Amino acid sequence: MAYEFITTRTEGEKVGVITLNRPKQLNALSPALMVELGQALKAFDADEAIGCIVITGNEKAFAAGADIGAMATYTFADVYRDDYITRDWETIGGIRKPVIAAVSGFALGGGCELAMMCDFIIAADNAKFGQPEIKLGIIPGAGGTQRLPRAVGKAKAMDLVLTGRMMDAKEAEAAGLVSRVVPLDKLMDEALAAALMISGYGRMAVMAAKECVNKAFEGTLADGVMFERRLFHALFATADQKEGMDAFVNKRPAAFKNQ
Ligand code: CAA
């Protein structure tokens, strides 16, 4: 299948590799890209030869978040009624084969959330993680407020979500967000070696292992994500969301009015 915003390939006939491919926009996750990502994930999940999937970006960015340009003028009606932005994000949760995020460069906002939706993250030493939505007058809207505390604990999650600061790969590893950090030029070798190893194990055991580890975390996650979704949508009714995104698009400092 031909894609516009991602590329796909297989490695060793057993691993599906999906590369996010909007380099000029730092792989900003537009609705169209997320549709393609969902299609590619489902295709690899359905392919009997494939035992594991790797999602990656480029050296500078895994993904710098949802596409701010596309979101900037959305209203509450757009995002709530049509579930814009986040509609196609939950596909990844339904993928039964393991999905590894191989992250180099920025993994911010929806980029960090996408990485966290994967089963584990292998990071290059230049990776930077963060949830900077607060700077745009919104909050994380693709599970970040729920998955980040589960991964790194409340204190660091609050720090990251409330300040919008980035953490580097070393801090992310120490906090438990990433499973391993490797030199940038070894990132794909390491991720593919892990994926090939997983692909070599019994498919049902691998799927069961994934399902069980996820059970440990998913108690109230669905409620939490839905709660987050409603508030994320509600923020599109505020003037500060318009101001924050307009300021980003026009490359000027934001002047929030708390309205
Ligand atoms: N959406 C759309 N375009 C983006 C983008 C995004 N999330 N992030 C970067 N870009 C674009 C920039 O506008 C710029 O485009 P032009 O060349 O056409 O001007 C290009 O990518 C390169 O970006 P910068 O010039 O800003 O690169 P930099 O190296 O100076 O800075 C950065 C890199 C710190 C990542 C900066 O781009 C940035 O802060 N990006 C926004 C990060 C962000 O706020 N993410 C959260 C989005 S909201 C979200 O994700 C909601 C959700 O939870 C679902």
Side-chain angles (χ1 to χ4, degrees):
M1 183 154 176
Y3 296 108
E4 194 177 346
F5 304 114
I6 61 171
T7 62
T8 61
R9 66 183 174 89
T10 56
E11 180 78 21
E13 294 174 7
K14 288 194 218 164
V15 173
V17 181
I18 302 173
T19 305
L20 308 177
N21 190 29
R22 295 184 76 207
K24 285 192 188 138
Q25 295 84 11
L26 303 185
N27 289 334
L29 302 166
S30 61
L33 185 153
M34 292 310 294
V35 168
E36 290 190 357
L37 179 61
Q39 288 169 343
L41 284 166
K42 281 185 184 163
F44 280 138
D45 210 28
D47 183 340
E48 273 185 28
I50 298 296
C52 188
I53 302 166
V54 175
I55 302 178
T56 194
N58 57 51
E59 192 174 317
K60 180 157 184 195
F62 176 72
D67 192 317
I68 302 171
M71 285 190 292
T73 57
Y74 285 173
T75 63
F76 174 75
D78 291 327
V79 294
Y80 178 76
R81 186 191 54 218
D82 303 328
D83 198 8
Y84 268 178
I85 310 169
T86 39
R87 185 174 45 205
D88 298 293
W89 284 69
E90 298 303 327
T91 307
I92 190 165
I95 301 302
R96 298 188 70 195
K97 291 171 186 168
V99 183
I100 301 172
V103 174
S104 46
F106 298 112
L108 301 178
C112 187
E113 292 169 303
L114 173 60
M116 288 191 289
M117 285 180 199
C118 297
D119 295 308
F120 63 97
I121 302 172
I122 300 181
D125 49 13
N126 75 337
K128 286 197 183 331
F129 297 87
Q131 298 290 160
E133 289 89 344
I134 201 85
K135 297 181 185 173
L136 298 169
I138 57 168
I139 59 172
T145 63
Q146 305 303 300
R147 291 192 179 92
L148 192 60
R150 282 168 168 80
V152 304
K154 179 181 169 185
K156 200 170 279 289
M158 281 288 192
D159 176 358
L160 291 162
V161 169
L162 293 178
T163 67
R165 78 174 175 88
M166 295 184 218
M167 69 176 166
D168 64 18
K170 216 169 132 203
E171 185 180 353
E173 185 183 30
L177 181 65
V178 313
S179 67
R180 3 180 164 163
V181 178
V182 298
L184 175 59
D185 62 354
K186 297 277 181 301
L187 177 66
M188 283 315 283
D189 289 349
E190 189 90 1
L192 291 173
L196 282 165
M197 180 180 279
I198 292 166
S199 298
Y201 297 135
R203 192 66 51 79
M204 289 204 291
V206 166
M207 285 163 61
K210 168 172 169 156
E211 221 169 329
C212 285
V213 174
N214 279 334
K215 266 279 176 267
F217 289 91
E218 284 178 353
T220 58
L221 183 62
D223 288 346
V225 168
M226 190 45 67
F227 184 73
E228 176 199 80
R229 182 76 40 90
R230 294 299 171 233
L231 291 184
F232 176 68
H233 290 162
L235 288 167
F236 282 78
T238 69
D240 280 353
Q241 173 265 334
K242 298 285 172 300
E243 168 62 15
M245 294 194 181
D246 185 74
F248 178 86
V249 168
N250 292 300
K251 302 187 188 299
R252 63 173 176 81
F256 294 120
K257 297 208 172 85
N258 305 325
Q259 288 171 358

